[in-house]
Structure formats: structure tokens, C-alpha cells
Amino acid sequence: MNNQVSLKWALPYAVVGIGRDAVYMFVLSFYYLYLTTVLDISPVYIVPIFLIVKFIELIKEPFIGMLIDLCADIFKYNKFRMTILAGGIINAAILIQMFDIPSMNSSVQIIYAIFMYIAWSLSFSMLDIPSWSLTSIFGSDHRTREIICGLGRGSAVLGFCLTLVLTYAFFYEDQGLP
């Protein structure tokens, strides 16, 4: 690695990347299982909704970034700390509501599930965007930033793979859900 990047800073950044993407994939996987097995919603409805929300994420990310910058200017706080804290609290509250879908007819349940997934995705962006923006604090050298971005992306993929392996080990090797 470059002289500007020490293991003291790169290792925690990688661990956060692993944890962030592992949690993201775990919530998505478990929400899919919850909707299909507990609420008995057909995957015919769920898969296109998940894909459409992922497409919407391409559009919403710049706006969330502008909102984070605007909040930092208004409140005069460190924008990374404030949005990660606020995003974590909001994300946790929405996560609880995602798995507490009230008894309604099936079409209203689908709409509620979509709304909760979109709200969770928006609140997760308040955690995700600042953590990726931290690459700028590692230095102004483009090589340093490339190394850190590669480390962040690699740890994100590792978190994704970790969730896939653990999900398979717990849910499929054990003959299904408890």
C-alpha cells in the first residue's frame, strides 16, 4: 500500500464494508423469505418490485447525497457522523416495521411491503453514502483513493458472499426455516 494509507485506517474501513454489505444482503434475503413464506406473497410480485427499487436507487443516490450536504451546511456538524447516526436510528425503526406487517387483505399487504422496502432502502442510503464518501479522507493522491476504493469494494463483495454462505448453511442445510 501507499505511505499515506496505514493498516490502522484501512482495516476498520474494510471491516465496516464487510459488515455493511452483509447486513444489507441479510435483510434483503430475510425480507424475501418473510414475504414469500410468512405472508405467502408470490415471487411473481416480489422479484419485479425488488428490481424496480434497485433501479430507483440509481436515481435517488445523488439526491440523498445532496440532502446530506445540505443538512451539514444547515446544522454545522460533521455530515458523516450526523447522517450515519440519524440514518442508523431511522433504518432500525423502519426495519422493525418491515417485519411487523399488519393483517390486511393481500393487495394492501403488498403495497405496505413495497412502501416499507422503499423506506428501508432510503434510510440505508443515509448509512451507505457517507461510508463510501470516507474515501476522500485517506488523502488527495489518486493512487491512495484507488487502493481504498478497491479495498472497500472487495470488502463489500466479501460481506455479500459471507451472507450467501451463512444463509445457505442456516436455512437450506437445516431443511428449511424453523
Side-chain angles (χ1 to χ4, degrees):
M1 275 203 203
N2 194 319
N3 290 336
Q4 294 178 343
V5 179
S6 68
L7 191 60
K8 175 184 171 184
W9 294 106
L11 185 62
Y13 188 72
V15 170
V16 166
I18 292 169
R20 181 190 60 235
D21 279 70
V23 166
Y24 184 81
M25 275 308 300
F26 178 75
V27 169
L28 282 183
S29 302
F30 201 76
Y31 196 54
Y32 177 81
L33 287 172
Y34 174 75
L35 294 176
T36 56
T37 58
V38 175
L39 297 180
D40 201 30
I41 299 173
S42 172
V44 171
Y45 298 113
I46 297 171
V47 172
I49 291 166
F50 276 29
L51 292 174
I52 289 168
V53 170
K54 287 306 275 180
F55 179 73
I56 292 171
E57 284 184 4
L58 293 172
I59 299 166
K60 76 166 169 69
E61 295 288 329
F63 294 109
I64 298 284
M66 288 189 295
L67 177 69
I68 290 169
D69 287 338
L70 180 67
C71 288
D73 291 342
I74 291 172
F75 296 112
K76 305 292 185 218
Y77 287 111
N78 182 319
K79 63 183 170 184
F80 299 134
R81 288 182 189 165
M82 185 181 75
T83 54
I84 289 174
L85 176 65
I89 293 168
I90 294 168
N91 191 272
I94 292 171
L95 186 63
I96 292 168
Q97 290 301 309
M98 282 174 70
F99 295 99
D100 190 28
I101 296 178
S103 296
M104 305 176 244
N105 69 29
S106 63
S107 60
V108 176
Q109 276 186 334
I110 293 171
I111 293 169
Y112 185 84
I114 293 168
F115 177 74
M116 285 289 105
Y117 177 55
I118 291 171
W120 180 79
S121 176
L122 285 169
S123 66
F124 190 83
S125 292
M126 291 180 68
L127 301 166
D128 194 38
I129 291 172
S131 65
W132 282 107
S133 299
L134 287 175
T135 58
S136 64
I137 67 168
F138 284 99
S140 59
D141 181 32
H142 71 87
R143 180 161 167 71
T144 302
R145 289 187 184 185
E146 289 171 0
I147 290 169
I148 292 300
C149 285
L151 179 68
R153 183 50 48 203
S155 61
V157 169
L158 185 62
F160 174 82
C161 293
L162 180 69
T163 302
L164 288 179
V165 168
L166 290 176
T167 303
Y168 177 78
F170 286 121
F171 293 121
Y172 293 109
E173 289 292 320
D174 215 18
Q175 272 54 3
L177 295 170

